[in-house]
Amino acid sequence: MATLLIVAPVFALIAAGYAAVLFRFVSESAHKGIAEFAFSIAIPALLFRTILVSEFPDVGPWRMWGAYYGALAITWIAATAVSARQECPESPLSTNVLRQLR
């Protein structure tokens, strides 16, 4: 139940934004400004505040960091391998990248 109380306002805000665009309360040009504000100011400020007020356990964060950066490295290596194997004839960049890898 506690999780629902945390997550529900986020989904309510998303639904309110969707309804505002759907019923044209927000113009086409306004939503670009709102998105710029959200991604440039609001979300970083929210993340900073969340980290600032969070209480972390006294246990070392090595396992958490290892899980995060390990998954990040695996994903990056897999994406690089897949993109190097696929050649897109429309993209001049892909042929250049493949030539450099060979």
Side-chain angles (χ1 to χ4, degrees):
M1 185 64 172
T3 305
L4 181 64
L5 292 175
I6 294 171
V7 175
V10 174
F11 283 105
L13 187 59
I14 292 170
Y18 180 78
V21 172
L22 183 66
F23 294 116
R24 308 227 191 281
F25 292 130
V26 177
S27 68
E28 287 292 321
S29 60
H31 76 79
K32 291 179 184 175
I34 293 170
E36 183 72 25
F37 167 77
F39 289 116
S40 298
I41 298 170
I43 293 174
L46 178 64
L47 289 172
F48 181 76
R49 181 187 172 276
T50 302
I51 291 172
L52 188 66
V53 300
S54 295
E55 293 183 19
F56 295 103
D58 291 334
V59 179
W62 301 110
R63 290 179 57 195
M64 184 172 42
W65 288 355
Y68 176 77
Y69 288 111
L72 180 73
I74 290 169
T75 303
W76 182 75
I77 290 168
T80 302
V82 168
S83 66
R85 288 183 163 262
Q86 293 180 345
E87 185 174 347
C88 181
E90 305 89 45
S91 174
L93 179 63
S94 67
T95 56
N96 291 337
V97 169
L98 286 174
R99 274 192 218 120
Q100 291 175 357
L101 289 176
R102 290 182 185 160

